[in-house]
Amino acid sequence: MESDLLNVTLLSIFVSGTATLLASLLAIPLGCFFGMRKFRGKEVIRTITYTLYGFPPVVAGLVLYILLSNSGPLGSLQLLFTPTAMILAQTLLVVPIVIGLTMSAVSTTSKDYTETAIILGADSWRTARTVIHEARVGIISAVMIGFGRALAEVGAVMLVGGNIQWHTRVLTTAIVLETREGNFGYGLALGAILLTIGMIFFYLMKRYQDKGMLT
Amino acid sequence: MESDLLNVTLLSIFVSGTATLLASLLAIPLGCFFGMRKFRGKEVIRTITYTLYGFPPVVAGLVLYILLSNSGPLGSLQLLFTPTAMILAQTLLVVPIVIGLTMSAVSTTSKDYTETAIILGADSWRTARTVIHEARVGIISAVMIGFGRALAEVGAVMLVGGNIQWHTRVLTTAIVLETREGNFGYGLALGAILLTIGMIFFYLMKRYQDKGMLT
Amino acid sequence: IANKDKPVSVILATTTSTQDSGLLDYILPDFNSKYDADVKVIAVGTGQALELGRNGDADVLFVHSPAKEIDFVDQGYGLYRWKVMYNQFVIVGPASDPAGINGTALAKDALGMIYNTGSKFCSRGDQSGTHTAEQKLWTSAGYNYTGITMQSNSSWYLSLGQGMGDTLLTASEKQAYTIVDEATWFNLESGLDLVILVKGDAVLFNQYGVIPVNGTMHPAINEEMGVNFANWVTSPETQAMIANYTLKGNQVFTPNTDRKP
Amino acid sequence: MNAIQAKGISKSYRERKVLKEIDLEVEEGDIFAIIGPSGAGKTTLLRILCSLQPPDSGTVAILGRQISFKATEDLQLRRRMSFISQKPIAFRNSVRENVAYSLKVRGVEDRKEMVDNALQHVGLLDLADNLGMTLSGGELQRMAFARATVYNPEVLILDEFTAHLDPYNIKMLEDALISYQKENGATILTVTHNMFQAKRIARTTAVMLDGQIVEQNDTATIFNNPTDERTGQFVKGEMIF
Amino acid sequence: MNAIQAKGISKSYRERKVLKEIDLEVEEGDIFAIIGPSGAGKTTLLRILCSLQPPDSGTVAILGRQISFKATEDLQLRRRMSFISQKPIAFRNSVRENVAYSLKVRGVEDRKEMVDNALQHVGLLDLADNLGMTLSGGELQRMAFARATVYNPEVLILDEFTAHLDPYNIKMLEDALISYQKENGATILTVTHNMFQAKRIARTTAVMLDGQIVEQNDTATIFNNPTDERTGQFVKGEMIF
Ligand SMILES: Nc1ncnc2c1ncn2[C@@H]1O[C@H](COP(=O)(O)OP(=O)(O)OP(=O)(O)O)[C@@H](O)[C@H]1O
Ligand SMILES: Nc1ncnc2c1ncn2[C@@H]1O[C@H](COP(=O)(O)OP(=O)(O)OP(=O)(O)O)[C@@H](O)[C@H]1O
Ligand SMILES: [Mg+2]
Ligand SMILES: [Mg+2]
């Protein structure tokens, strides 16, 4: 049982961590781009992003299940009921959150920073880095919220992961299982582990948030 | 079945809407307070808030279940398996999100606004209103994200609501039910309704966000 | 883990009751070692399990909804369906027993008394094996089941759309009657404020079946292992293991395979 | 009675003493200028006098009442004074609403006329419906002046209130300030780096160097017969102007 | 060749024409001042010349090359010029890193000495390790000057670059500007509301009123013999200074 618990905990961290990382790599640049530029269709993108905040994990899971199922278009990849599928599902859920929050962090960061960077000769890339630097408190919050969402999420990973012991069981699906079996106490204990992971992650990110890192 | 669907949809809107409203009434003032003041323990509050982003709905539901159960301390209130319990559960989940995001919206809103309000003779209450006004884009985003989270949430309402047909069944719990029955298509259709609600809500909030409303 | 060839992975789609009762944890190690396999258990609703089979995402099904299982095989998705075991449904309710069903021999009579007294009743309401059995009982007692569920203002009949454990908890909180399989009952009994009131009626038997998924439906299906599983679970040795499995001192499942030797 | 009375004000950032035991007394009804080079600590001192930040040590009394440096407790006192920051900012509202803010906050109902009047005085009536954030640097300073004076504060504290203005507009604001003082008998404390301005408007002038007030006297005396050697050096800088 | 050549620049906000068909030519190596009252459109014009915002119509060529008003395309050109905004801002970094930024962006490796040198010239070496955001108003302007000149731009555009400074520091920056121009042969375009400053440093002066350049000439001529009536009126404002 103990090695099982360790396994489940590590898989939770791995899946949600990887999903948050992937989502951040994709969403932070996009969010900066959307936040910094004015272009037609920007409002549409904002609308979609915000709407997707309310994307129910179960539905995300269903969509992904249909895609990854052996009778679905991506069935040949054989990803269903693997951690990879779970990572994909959580990435899907975290991306809009990180895009949206990065967008608002960047667009409320005073335009003056962008202009100063441009005037001092920064190219687009460096300008973006500078704006990210100035908006970093907001962006890091975005990543934290994204990780929280990934870690707490259960509907999608249950569907595409299958909650298979030793393979795809994570803390949240284990909590569901324990609750179903009436082991409320054990369920709560797993919940406490989950919150502890969140807290450690938060603590690390906060240290990062407080010190400067790029320019 | 149609009247059933209408029932489920309206209950979803009612439960998540009320929860978001309650959470906002509680969390926006708190978030402003925490964001505007410097005090000891502020970092602790931030840590807790961020950690609670990753509070799994199942655990929230479980905690509330244990409290509201007939054998729990609040059993005499007879709230278990009622929409009220579901509203409570979602409020619990939305409050930290709205507090946290309001805090960061307010604390990244330039301190200059606070100081200008104070200098011009605003009392604490008016100063807060002014800062909220200036930070409204961020605060409204917080409310939108909170509503999205409430609407998409399933673990907690399933536990404390019980997914009772005609009484406590909402869109997300209906989706889970359909999925378990293998009715994937119907589940997706319900998901689409859910997203549409989110989109309409977002649209209304955005209009509010774009125009000034308080000072 | 020893550094031998990777065991063959087999996906078993089953209902939550087999997993939650602990039966699978008890019997599966034997299969894994005999066939050098790694059975991955996906515990879901019966409907979802059958759908996983249809989509070619599971190699073998182990569920308890006989009519739907037979359809599944008739439509060509499954090779065949063998009975594996059964357990009993029982009607449980509050010790105060407001409908006075305690000791009633026939389940349909008990339902009639519940209906007539307007006592609270919790239904799984999720088209699961248990729910299907319940619907049949209402019909056999002479009621129009759809009529019952479509009363939106009904406050006695509660259709939950939840798993067995959750339904039991709800019934306990609401002091309502419900129908439950013995496995789940033995597992959760101690935390509940309910007692068994009706048992032993033959219509309350809960039949589990095994279906290897038809490999021609989809290339990814491991038909051979599915067949192995069906053979193994219906073999005399495994049947004996099932009979030996107890939960808190009670035998839970009774093996009764119809496989022709 | 002194309208502003500060005693032993000190403030350090890290190791550096930015204000060193400053004593300051401004008589009621005076127009008092503080001049001094960039970084002397002028803005820091004004912010402390306005209760925007607490000093490390020292006390401040405005209109005879000690301030607590807690925003809520000083409310009544704050409502009798005003401050124009070196970098004024506009709320995300129209110019008119920005100026009306201080009246609204005090529950004044008939604001329209007072606001228009104040905007007229600083030549901004034409732009009253523009967003405050779109104002040019000089326009913003003029708006800040209107916003700070519209509610007739008894003590008015100004930090380089004409830095972004041209001669024509400087004259307009200086005239407005002087007549405001006359009409209301208000006390004015202004920081300026423009020594001609101090000469034109101030009755008393103090010279601040490196966190200390090194000399204080009638404006004429300061400029013509500085007694402190460092003042003399600094006032010489005037020549290049 | 003209270092700055603008033709027919117009810009409106809503109905209001803020810039009306402005033509401007600044010779290479000139120190050119634009003076004019608050709200005349000076800042708007400079921002357009720097490609920070596009005009409604008109063209701008810097150092003989047309600018596109798209940040990415104008990169090479932008790297040869610099701009000090009317409200400079500091990145959330030390003063030293703020000044080093423009060098870093250009891939210059040995920055330390150049940065320290630039800070020395504006009297900020002592504060090099402070956070840029904690600088006083005048210190920030000096930092902005150091940051804008450290990479030796060929065209330097300044918007009221000494507004928050005292005579001593004004002289320091003006001297630094003049010697910078001499050493680098750079072209300087400066907006100032301080007509004495235009007199002191500019070879050519243009007067801008209400979105138009009404007169442009040798600085001496502008101040002594204004030909345009409105210029005369505005230049009279000098008297109150
Ligand atoms: N938060 C801070 N941390 C460190 N140093 C600070 C901080 N705030 C102000 N200072 C320093 O304190 C000194 C005084 O600042 P202050 O703004 O009072 O100057 P000032 O006299 O108003 O100058 P100016 O005329 O340039 O506006 C400056 O050197 C400034 O760099
Ligand atoms: N976004 C905008 N919307 C509306 N009006 C604007 C906007 N930006 C600038 N203006 C107006 O355009 C006019 C010119 O502004 P600009 O900043 O160019 O003036 P300026 O000559 O630099 O004045 P100052 O000396 O006060 O800095 C001002 O009256 C200003 O209010
Ligand atoms: Mg200052
Ligand atoms: Mg300007």
Side-chain angles (χ1 to χ4, degrees), chain C residues 79-102:
Chain C
L79 293 177
Y80 44 80
R81 179 236 183 209
W82 287 335
K83 291 182 176 176
V84 177
M85 62 192 191
Y86 70 89
N87 68 348
Q88 251 199 92
F89 289 122
V90 292
I91 300 179
V92 298
S96 61
D97 191 15
I101 64 172
N102 194 2

Side-chain angles (χ1 to χ4, degrees), chain A residues 65 69-71 167 180-181, chain C residues 20 38 52 55-57 188 218:
Chain A
Y65 167 79
S69 155
N70 277 327
S71 48
H167 295 280
R180 209 165 63 198
E181 293 181 7
Chain C
D20 296 356
D38 177 14
L52 288 179
N55 290 335
D57 296 323
L188 297 180
H218 210 283

Side-chain angles (χ1 to χ4, degrees), chain D residues 36-95:
Chain D
S38 173
K42 307 180 295 295
T43 297
T44 309
L45 177 62
L46 293 198
R47 285 174 53 83
I48 289 170
L49 297 180
C50 291
S51 172
L52 284 177
Q53 65 181 73
D56 294 340
S57 62
T59 59
V60 176
I62 304 282
L63 297 166
R65 287 155 155 262
Q66 202 83 2
I67 61 175
S68 70
F69 301 108
K70 281 174 200 141
T72 40
E73 294 181 20
D74 294 333
L75 181 63
Q76 291 317 317
L77 207 52
R78 280 196 286 106
R79 291 210 166 161
R80 299 168 66 191
M81 56 198 290
S82 193
F83 173 53
I84 301 181
S85 150
Q86 191 170 359
K87 299 182 221 169
I89 60 118
F91 294 123
R92 270 176 248 261
N93 259 331
S94 70
V95 171

Side-chain angles (χ1 to χ4, degrees), chain D residues 11-14 16-19 34 36-47 53 86 159-160 191-193 208 210-211, chain E residues 95 124 127 130-142 164-166 169:
Chain D
K11 178 80 196 171
S12 300
Y13 290 112
R14 291 194 233 164
R16 184 164 156 240
K17 283 207 166 181
V18 170
L19 298 180
I34 299 179
S38 173
K42 307 180 295 295
T43 297
T44 309
L45 177 62
L46 293 198
R47 285 174 53 83
Q53 65 181 73
Q86 191 170 359
D159 198 355
E160 303 193 2
V191 155
T192 178
H193 56 262
M208 196 164 164
D210 198 19
Chain E
V95 170
L124 281 182
L127 302 180
N130 281 23
L131 280 179
M133 312 173 56
T134 64
L135 293 180
S136 76
E139 287 164 351
L140 184 61
Q141 287 203 308
R142 289 184 275 151
H164 288 285
L165 289 172
D166 57 283
N169 281 294

